[in-house]
Amino acid sequence: MLDYLISLFTEPDKSWSFVSIPFAVVFVLFFILYIFIRPSSKTMMLSYTVAFSLFFAYKANGVLMLLLPATVVVSYYLTRRMDEREGRERTLWMWLTVVVDLLPLVYYKYTNFLLQTFNEILSSNFAPLSIILPVGISFYTFQAISYTVDVYKGRFTTEVSLLEYFFYLTFFPLLIAGPITRAETLIPQIKHRYHIDDRMVYTGLWLIMSGLVKKALIADYIAQYNNWIFDDPTAYSGFECLMGSLGYTLQIYCDFSGYSDISIGIASMLGITLKENFNYPYQSLNLQEFWRRWHISLSTWFRDYVYIPLGGNRKGEWRTYLNNFVTMLVAGLWHGASWMFVIWGALHGIVLVIHKWCKPWLDRIPNTWYVRVVSFTLTFAFINVAWIFFRAHDMQTAFAMLRTIGSDFSFDYLVPFVETRTSWVVFVVLGFALHGMRKRHVDRLKQLYIDSPYTLKLILLFIVLQFVINFRQSDIQPFIYAQF
């Protein structure tokens, strides 16, 4: 027991995440002390949380966690130096800070991708380097860049202490996979230290339970079958491949929105309000609406720091199309060092451009129920096909899966499939049914939970945990977006 406790606090752990039992144990201990420290001193509260956040980063990354405090210090002081300059010199300092912030991300995430690309183009034989991607580096790098650019644009101030900036960039609920949070959202809250009321705590618990159902119950359970399909789609029928693609479409949503729910829920329990990151994206009637609902913190980041600086829609119609397409290419590449992610981004970019080009004609179509059904069906079908390219190992696998669906599809497989994989079907139906609920109905359920007796809250929490334990896989599935 003593050896386990020592290793729990001293050794890195690849399975360390919000859905692991070790994290739950350590977080409860942290939270008990936090509720006593928070009212007494802002400095103590910030220092205590930063220390726990760095411990959290160490558990996830080992010694690579040193990149995080290094990024904090370098970004903080370079931004302050930039803010002391004017004119052209200020712009140069802004770009210097952004480039310095990006260097570790480019090295760790894209070095081997660039070497592989050079090998293919030049027929060379550069050996790949032994590089481990630090967990969360894409997210805290983007937060650092947003702070620098916002200060440069005058949207935020440098009247932020180093300790406050440490809190902003290391806040542990955001470290693994965001949401990418702007300084204007987080820093004013830690300056004023709003009182943590019961509603914030119960809202946090509701979101954590919602996230556990999505991630640890639905996404992790259906992932095993999805992985089999994408590993070798030619070994299965077209119907089974279609189920695998639909399963992954649900899996990636439940996995990432589940993480976001847990992240926002933990922050709420700590007295921090974070913005919504998913808003029922698969209910969208077009791709533009999808990107207003999916991974909202990332899509707004690319809008504000890539699309608008490129010119947005201010430089003519064709330049607007180009800016849309380039932004989606960059968004695809951000997801990972692979041409499959670039292709996924390009597919979204092309369809977004087509939709924008056709919008004057589309707006003339009456908004009837059957038009909405057709719009939803086309949008969801495209998103599902695009996820195939996102998930597949290579183009051969993606096209093999599409060919199998197109050439070997039959509903004769439906009954045997349901009989063989009943639990998988139940979880997929449950996942899409939960996603299909109206937001007002979900908000009503949340309010009923908040207003319910304390004993009922404990019973519901126990039920959720029991289901997670009963249906969880033997190996904890890492969060999909943790690799990005």
Side-chain angles (χ1 to χ4, degrees):
M1 181 65 178
L2 181 60
D3 291 341
Y4 172 76
L5 291 175
I6 292 173
S7 65
L8 179 62
F9 287 96
T10 59
E11 296 180 6
D13 183 358
K14 291 182 179 180
S15 65
W16 182 257
S17 73
F18 292 157
V19 295
S20 66
I21 294 176
F23 169 78
V25 172
V26 174
F27 174 73
V28 169
L29 297 175
F30 161 81
F31 183 69
I32 292 172
L33 188 54
Y34 178 88
I35 59 178
F36 289 104
I37 290 178
R38 182 180 170 87
S40 60
S41 166
K42 185 180 83 169
T43 300
M44 286 183 61
M45 182 272 288
L46 294 177
S47 301
Y48 177 59
T49 308
V50 167
F52 183 80
S53 297
L54 293 177
F55 164 75
F56 183 90
Y58 170 73
K59 290 292 290 184
N61 283 314
V63 294
L64 285 177
M65 61 79 58
L66 294 174
L67 280 171
L68 179 55
T71 299
V72 173
V73 173
V74 172
S75 175
Y76 178 78
Y77 283 107
L78 285 179
T79 301
R80 291 179 70 87
R81 295 294 177 271
M82 175 203 72
D83 203 38
E84 295 169 355
R85 270 63 179 181
E86 295 181 355
R88 180 178 176 83
E89 189 177 2
R90 179 182 175 88
T91 302
L92 291 174
W93 272 88
M94 185 273 291
W95 280 110
L96 172 65
T97 307
V98 170
V99 170
V100 170
D101 285 340
L102 282 173
L103 283 176
L105 176 63
V106 171
Y107 172 74
Y108 282 98
K109 195 168 185 176
Y110 300 105
T111 296
N112 283 333
F113 175 65
L114 293 173
L115 289 176
Q116 179 185 355
T117 303
F118 286 145
N119 286 341
E120 293 174 355
I121 295 175
L122 304 176
S123 299
S124 56
N125 58 350
F126 291 109
L129 303 180
S130 179
I131 298 175
I132 300 174
L133 180 66
V135 174
I137 187 172
S138 297
F139 293 90
Y140 67 71
T141 297
F142 273 27
Q143 287 197 183
I145 291 173
S146 70
Y147 173 75
T148 298
V149 175
D150 286 350
V151 169
Y152 173 78
K153 295 287 188 180
R155 294 192 290 252
F156 203 72
T157 175
T158 52
E159 294 178 5
V160 176
S161 69
L162 180 58
L163 182 57
E164 290 169 338
Y165 192 68
F166 251 102
F167 185 99
Y168 163 68
L169 219 56
T170 67
F171 190 41
F172 71 92
L174 308 176
L175 273 183
I176 294 180
I180 301 170
T181 302
R182 311 285 179 91
E184 64 185 18
T185 297
L186 190 55
I187 291 179
Q189 296 188 65
I190 62 178
K191 282 184 174 294
H192 297 290
R193 285 192 307 142
Y194 300 116
H195 175 67
I196 305 177
D197 56 23
D198 290 345
R199 180 177 178 81
M200 292 192 73
V201 174
Y202 295 147
T203 297
L205 285 173
W206 169 266
L207 289 171
I208 289 171
M209 288 191 297
S210 172
L212 286 174
V213 169
K214 290 179 182 177
K215 163 61 182 173
L217 192 58
I218 298 177
D220 282 3
Y221 188 86
I222 66 176
Q224 185 177 22
Y225 173 77
N226 302 337
N227 292 340
W228 293 341
I229 295 296
F230 278 94
D231 285 343
D232 186 10
T234 58
Y236 299 88
S237 68
F239 183 88
E240 290 171 309
C241 286
L242 178 60
M243 293 301 100
S245 68
L246 288 173
Y248 184 74
T249 295
L250 178 64
Q251 178 195 343
I252 193 170
Y253 166 74
C254 287
D255 189 285
F256 194 22
S257 69
Y259 170 87
S260 294
D261 286 348
I262 298 173
S263 174
I264 296 169
I266 291 174
S268 182
M269 294 182 67
L270 300 179
I272 301 294
T273 301
L274 301 178
K275 293 183 178 180
E276 181 182 52
N277 203 30
F278 286 86
N279 182 19
Y280 307 94
Y282 295 151
Q283 295 183 15
S284 302
L285 301 182
N286 57 68
L287 199 59
Q288 188 176 34
E289 182 184 354
F290 171 80
W291 279 104
R292 289 198 297 264
R293 292 168 172 259
W294 175 273
H295 199 350
I296 298 169
S297 64
L298 181 67
S299 59
T300 54
W301 196 97
F302 276 109
R303 179 198 66 196
D304 294 344
Y305 302 106
V306 179
Y307 175 70
I308 292 177
L310 285 173
N313 58 2
R314 305 185 307 275
K315 297 189 175 182
E317 184 179 10
W318 290 103
R319 180 63 180 272
T320 299
Y321 299 153
L322 178 62
N323 293 341
N324 263 291
F325 183 73
V326 171
T327 300
M328 290 311 303
L329 280 182
V330 176
L333 189 59
W334 174 87
H335 280 83
S338 165
W339 286 111
M340 297 304 292
F341 294 121
V342 176
I343 292 168
W344 172 81
L347 289 172
H348 276 266
I350 292 169
V351 175
L352 282 169
V353 168
I354 293 173
H355 176 263
K356 189 176 287 288
W357 181 64
C358 294
K359 199 170 186 307
W361 294 276
L362 294 174
D363 288 342
R364 300 174 188 171
I365 300 175
N367 188 24
T368 58
W369 70 266
Y370 53 86
V371 169
R372 294 174 65 85
V373 168
V374 171
S375 299
F376 164 78
T377 303
L378 291 175
T379 301
F380 183 80
F382 168 77
I383 291 169
N384 184 68
V385 170
W387 281 135
I388 292 176
F389 290 89
F390 185 92
R391 173 61 179 83
H393 304 299
D394 48 42
M395 289 291 288
Q396 290 78 9
T397 303
F399 281 118
M401 191 163 181
L402 291 172
R403 280 196 305 268
T404 303
I405 294 173
S407 62
D408 187 28
F409 181 86
S410 173
F411 280 110
D412 292 341
Y413 290 94
L414 175 59
V415 173
F417 184 86
V418 173
E419 291 175 346
T420 305
R421 308 200 180 279
T422 304
S423 296
W424 186 91
V425 172
V426 169
F427 278 115
V428 168
V429 171
L430 173 64
F432 279 117
L434 291 174
H435 182 279
M437 293 179 66
R438 297 287 186 180
K439 189 175 187 301
R440 66 178 181 272
H441 296 154
V442 177
D443 290 341
R444 175 60 178 162
L445 289 175
K446 181 177 73 174
Q447 189 60 50
L448 288 174
Y449 171 80
I450 293 172
D451 296 337
S452 66
Y454 184 72
T455 52
L456 186 58
K457 292 184 176 71
L458 286 178
I459 291 173
L460 185 58
L461 177 62
F462 174 79
I463 292 173
V464 169
L465 292 177
Q466 192 62 44
F467 268 101
V468 168
I469 292 170
N470 288 346
F471 285 96
R472 74 178 301 154
Q473 302 301 297
S474 57
D475 296 326
I476 295 176
Q477 298 291 318
F479 286 102
I480 292 175
Y481 266 69
Q483 64 183 301
F484 303 145

